[in-house]
Each structure stands twice: as C-alpha cells, then as structure tokens.
C-alpha cells in the first residue's frame, strides 16, 4: 500500500506546481486531461479495426505499445504550445556589418546640360535602415538637448577626403567629433523661418576604429536672407545677413560620424583652415533631384523634430527691420566670403 500512495503523491506533484501555498494544475496537465480521451478513442478505434481486418487463422494485427508518461507529456506539450512568430531582425548597430555601396547616376551642369564627372561617386550605407538612426541622432543636434552625451572618445581628430574642392583633386581635411552647442536657423527676406532640407549625400570609411563611418550631409536653406546663431551660455543671438549669388539655395556641407562605442551618430566640427566650399550656393530643387537620382532619404527640419518629439526653439517669423547683423556672408557656387 505504501508504494501506491507514494506513486500517486509523486504523480500529483509532477502534474501540479506551487502557487502561494496551494497546488495548481500545470498547463500541460490541462492539455493532458483534454487529450487523453482522444488518445483513448483512437486507441480503441485502431484496436477494433485491427481485429476486424484479421483473417481467420491469422494472428491479429499488432497493437500500439502502451503510452508512457514521457510520450504523453511530449504529445500534450507539442499540441498545447501555439506557434510563435519569428521576430523581425533588428537593424545592425555594428558598423562592421554595414557596406558602403557606390551609387550610379549622371549629374549634369544646370547651365550647359553636359554630364559632370565626379572625382568619386557618392556612396550609401547598406542596409538602408541605418539611416533611421542617423535621422534620429541628427534631429537631436538641431535643438538644445541635455540628454545627448559627448562623444565616447574626446579630443579625436580625423583626416578624411573632401570632395568639394575646385577641380578633380580630392584633398584631405581635418575634423573632430563634438557635442553640439551652437544652433542655427535661416530666415528669408520677409522674415519667415526656413524649413531646411537635410540630404545624407555620401558615406565614407574613415579608417578610425572609434569613428569608422562619416556621412556628409547637405543642409539646404532655400532663399536664405538671414542666419540666426544661438550658442549655449550666450545671452544674445548673433545675426548674419546672407547674399546669394549664382544660386537660390544656401548649402552647407555638414558632417556626422558614427561613434562605434556609443552606437550613435555625432556631429563634427571642421578644423582650421576650413575646407573649400563648405558653404556654397546651389540651384533650387537640387537636393530633391539628388535624392531621386540616387535613391537617398531627404528630411525636412520640421519633420525630424516632430518625428522624434522635439520642439522648435526659434520663432516662425521675425521683423527684419529690427535685426542688427554682425556682418554679411556673400555665398556663390564657388564658396562663401564674409564682409562686415
């Protein structure tokens, strides 16, 4: 009698689990209770069919071996568990899993219509989902954000190629990753805030393990007439008058580098001397044309701020007659020249 009580006690503990001092049936046990009648019915049906099909004088058809406790629980668990969806793969944050793909397309001179030979074709990052992280981190550099940390490696200076120098030569320039502390906005001649466009034009490998990938980003301000400059810790904003010559768009070639340790994009600052044509005039609609030609993303400032829950810090309109600029910046396709 003892072994019978011991057997049922062990079976009960196997079929239940402890829950706040009380024993509850396991999910597999509930499945077993619903599955056992079906197994028994199939067993009896198979046995009856085997006996009916056996010819006189022949041995009856072999019957199924008795079900073991392990087999029963394996069958119940397999039927009770619902299939789960395979989660979608995350966008790789390790730059070693990225590829830089040269882009194909023909650029033409807007005046002559002749093809323009580029010193090096622009490149995009593959997979394209990487640009979503770039958009997020770029948006956080447009307005003051105390949550944005400094680069993981400070006082780093990178030497990288520069593609906007006159002629076919590609010189080398120097830049440094930095935490954004200066914020700018553009206004047109009527004093309306310009909704700037951002185009991640080309990506390059820097060869530096801390900041392995650099993306040059076009920041375009159509019909720019004023630049308002706000710096953290400064009480008054600085104003600069803009004169566009030979183009309708003020284009600055900004840059962001990927911080491999922090897994985020960081703005850069150019070291002196500034690279040639880091600010220059461009034709109207050229950013849209480039985005279509190469299949690159194109973002508006207002879209970036809204998408990532950031608020604009600059007013929508100003009164130009009240502005006191510190100087004038004359911008042409060849570059920018400051005058007081």
């Amino acid at each position: 009698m003892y072994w019978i009580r011991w057997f049922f006690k062990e079976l009960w503990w196997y079929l239940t689990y402890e829950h706040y001092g009380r024993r509850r049936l396991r999910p597999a046990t509930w499945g077993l209770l619903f599955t056992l009648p079906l197994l028994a019915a199939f067993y009896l049906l198979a046995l009856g069919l085997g006996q009916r099909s056996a010819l006189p004088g022949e041995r009856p058809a072999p019957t199924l071996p008795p079900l073991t406790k392990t087999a029963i629980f394996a069958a119940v668990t397999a039927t009770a568990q619902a299939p789960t969806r395979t989660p979608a793969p995350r966008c790789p944050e390790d730059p070693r899993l990225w590829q830089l793909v040269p882009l194909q397309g023909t650029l033409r001179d807007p005046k002559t219509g002749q093809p323009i030979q580029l010193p090096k074709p622009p490149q995009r990052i593959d997979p394209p989902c990487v640009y979503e992280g770039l958009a997020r981190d770029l948006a956080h550099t447009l307005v003051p954000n105390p949550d944005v940390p400094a680069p993981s490696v400070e006082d780093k200076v990178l030497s990288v190629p520069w593609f906007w120098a006159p002629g076919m030569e590609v010189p080398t320039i120097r830049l440094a990753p930095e935490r954004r502390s200066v914020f700018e906005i553009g206004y047109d001649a009527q004093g309306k805030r310009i909704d700037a466009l951002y185009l991640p034009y080309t990506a390059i490998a820097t060869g530096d393990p801390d900041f392995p990938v650099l993306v040059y980003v076009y920041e375009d301000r159509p019909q720019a007439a004023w630049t308002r400059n706000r710096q953290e810790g400064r009480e008054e904003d600085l104003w600069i008058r803009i004169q566009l010559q030979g183009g309708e768009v003020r284009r600055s070639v900004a840059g962001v580098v990927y911080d491999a340790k922090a897994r985020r994009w960081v703005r850069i600052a150019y070291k002196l001397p500034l690279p040639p044509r880091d600010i220059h005039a461009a034709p109207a609609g050229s950013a849209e044309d480039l985005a279509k030609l190469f299949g690159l993303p194109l973002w508006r400032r207002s879209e970036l701020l809204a998408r990532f829950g950031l608020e604009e810090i600059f007013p929508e309109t100003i009164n130009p007659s009240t502005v006191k600029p510190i100087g004038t910046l004359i911008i042409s396709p060849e570059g920018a020249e400051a005058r007081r």
Side-chain angles (χ1 to χ4, degrees):
M1 296 295 295
Y2 173 79
W3 69 270
I4 295 178
R5 293 189 337 193
W6 173 85
F7 174 79
F8 282 103
K9 181 178 178 181
E10 290 294 319
L11 182 60
W12 174 251
W13 279 79
Y14 189 83
L15 296 175
T16 61
Y17 66 98
E18 184 77 11
H19 183 76
Y20 294 102
R22 299 179 62 183
R23 304 298 299 179
R24 289 194 173 186
L25 294 179
R26 300 180 185 273
T29 305
W30 287 106
L32 176 64
L33 294 177
F34 289 110
T35 307
L36 276 178
L38 295 177
L39 294 176
F42 283 117
Y43 182 85
L44 294 176
L45 180 62
L47 181 62
L49 292 175
Q51 290 180 349
R52 289 180 59 184
S53 61
L55 296 175
E58 292 183 347
R59 296 179 59 185
T63 58
L64 296 174
L67 293 173
T68 63
K69 180 173 61 176
T70 303
I72 292 174
F73 270 89
V76 171
T77 304
T79 56
Q81 289 182 348
T84 57
R85 292 184 177 180
T86 302
R90 293 183 56 191
C91 193
E93 295 183 333
D94 189 344
R96 292 174 296 183
L97 302 178
W98 303 348
Q99 288 185 334
L100 301 183
V101 181
L103 300 176
Q104 301 298 325
T106 302
L107 292 179
R108 297 185 179 274
D109 190 308
K111 296 181 179 179
T112 64
Q114 297 298 317
I116 300 175
Q117 184 179 1
L118 298 175
K120 187 174 182 180
Q123 300 181 128
R124 67 168 173 82
I125 302 174
D126 189 48
C129 60
V130 173
Y131 286 99
E132 182 63 20
L134 191 152
R136 176 199 62 217
D137 296 334
L138 177 64
H140 283 81
T141 68
L142 302 180
V143 293
N145 194 326
D147 297 330
V148 176
S152 60
V153 180
E154 299 190 69
D155 301 326
K156 171 79 73 169
V157 178
L158 308 178
S159 296
V160 295
W162 179 257
F163 308 108
W164 292 269
M168 300 301 294
E169 182 184 359
V170 180
T172 298
I173 65 167
R174 299 165 67 246
L175 53 83
E178 66 170 14
R179 184 183 182 277
R180 191 73 166 168
S181 61
V182 179
F183 308 93
E184 286 187 358
I185 197 69
Y187 290 92
D188 62 16
Q190 288 71 41
K192 184 178 180 180
R193 187 179 64 213
I194 298 173
D195 200 7
L197 291 172
Y198 296 90
L199 174 73
Y201 174 69
T202 188
I204 63 172
T206 66
D208 186 276
D210 297 319
F211 304 96
V213 180
L214 164 69
V215 175
Y216 285 115
V217 179
Y218 284 170
E219 181 182 6
D220 282 9
R221 301 176 189 170
Q223 303 298 329
W226 304 93
T227 293
R228 188 173 186 175
N229 183 303
R230 179 173 298 179
Q231 184 172 356
E232 291 182 342
R234 180 185 294 169
E235 295 183 0
E236 296 183 359
D237 294 350
L238 296 180
W239 289 86
I240 300 175
R241 181 185 288 108
I242 303 297
Q243 289 186 8
L244 291 173
Q245 297 179 355
E248 299 78 27
V249 175
R250 174 199 183 273
R251 171 171 293 168
S252 60
V253 185
V256 286
V257 289
Y258 190 71
D259 191 328
K261 183 177 181 181
R263 300 293 173 91
R264 54 182 294 271
W265 296 91
V266 181
R267 286 290 286 260
I268 58 94
Y270 296 119
K271 292 292 186 179
L272 296 176
L274 295 176
R277 300 184 68 235
D278 63 322
I279 299 176
H280 60 272
S286 58
E288 293 89 340
D289 294 340
L290 288 171
K292 293 178 181 178
L293 178 65
F294 295 122
L296 293 169
L298 182 65
W299 307 305
R300 288 193 175 274
R301 176 186 175 96
S302 58
E303 176 215 347
L304 288 176
L305 296 180
R307 192 198 307 181
F308 300 104
L310 302 170
E311 294 185 5
E312 180 63 79
I313 61 173
F314 294 101
E316 184 175 357
T317 59
I318 61 165
N319 184 358
S321 63
T322 63
V323 174
K324 298 180 180 180
I326 61 173
T328 300
L329 194 64
I330 301 175
I331 304 176
S332 68
E334 290 72 34
E337 179 185 356
R339 293 181 182 177
R340 289 190 175 274

